[in-house]
Amino acid sequence: MKKTIFSILMLLPFVVAAQKSYTISGKLSAEKSPAKAYLVLLKDNAWKEVDSTDIKEGKFRLTGSVIEPQNAIIAVRRDGAPDAGAQRDSQGFFIENSNISIVGTDAVRDAIITGSQSDRENREREEMIKPVTAKIIRLQDEFGKKNADGSFV
């Protein structure tokens, strides 16, 4: 009995350490062209690519750790495709130390991201305030019109 308890206590640091990292597993089922996935985080007030990996047979995997949940961007660049404007294939989400899954067909911008509690809570919050935001925009459009000289109508 003492050996079993001792063995469990010896494994505890490894279990705790395993929870202090993230794994992003992506699958873009229709992705056939050579492409690369990039993880972009906000560092020193600028967005920086912190990790990348090749997408093989539509699958990719990124691992690492963050100190706390934070905004992140997952981006895909295909060989020979423009990297700007409407051609950009990226999606923002909250990254945290958990198993994060990104599943889509041919574009990461339309993929479903799951596994991050912070991201799920943020998306729920955005859905709750969407009607209020739409009303504010409508009121600004209606009452915030300006003349060419900048004065309100």
Side-chain angles (χ1 to χ4, degrees):
M1 179 72 168
K2 286 182 182 180
K3 286 183 181 182
T4 305
I5 292 173
F6 182 73
S7 297
I8 291 171
L9 289 175
M10 291 299 292
L11 292 174
L12 191 59
F14 295 107
V15 171
V16 172
Q19 296 172 351
K20 300 222 182 255
S21 64
Y22 61 80
T23 299
I24 301 172
S25 301
K27 182 176 183 187
L28 301 173
S29 58
E31 182 61 56
K32 303 296 181 213
S33 62
K36 217 169 180 175
Y38 294 85
L39 178 62
V40 184
L41 299 178
L42 194 59
K43 300 268 187 186
D44 301 322
N45 295 323
W47 289 100
K48 304 215 178 178
E49 293 174 356
V50 296
D51 200 359
S52 66
T53 187
D54 290 328
I55 299 175
K56 297 177 184 169
E57 297 178 13
K59 297 178 183 177
F60 63 91
R61 184 181 188 101
L62 298 162
T63 59
S65 65
V66 290
I67 296 170
E68 60 189 1
Q70 66 185 73
N71 280 314
I73 297 172
I74 189 75
V76 171
R77 289 193 201 130
R78 289 157 187 86
D79 289 355
D83 186 37
Q87 301 299 320
R88 178 164 282 161
D89 186 14
S90 63
Q91 185 177 163
F93 68 103
F94 273 89
I95 190 170
E96 62 187 33
N97 293 324
S98 64
N99 292 320
I100 299 169
S101 175
I102 301 174
V103 178
T105 51
D106 60 350
V108 77
R109 71 178 157 266
D110 300 322
I112 304 294
I113 299 176
T114 58
S116 166
Q117 180 177 343
S118 301
D119 189 61
R120 181 182 49 78
E121 290 172 358
N122 183 59
R123 290 179 195 273
E124 288 172 359
R125 179 192 55 82
E126 286 178 352
E127 281 300 313
M128 286 187 333
I129 65 172
K130 195 180 278 186
V132 176
T133 305
K135 188 173 186 175
I136 291 169
I137 292 169
R138 191 182 79 247
L139 290 169
Q140 284 178 330
D141 289 346
E142 183 178 344
F143 296 108
K145 295 180 180 173
K146 294 184 180 180
N147 292 322
D149 64 359
S151 62
F152 287 101
V153 176

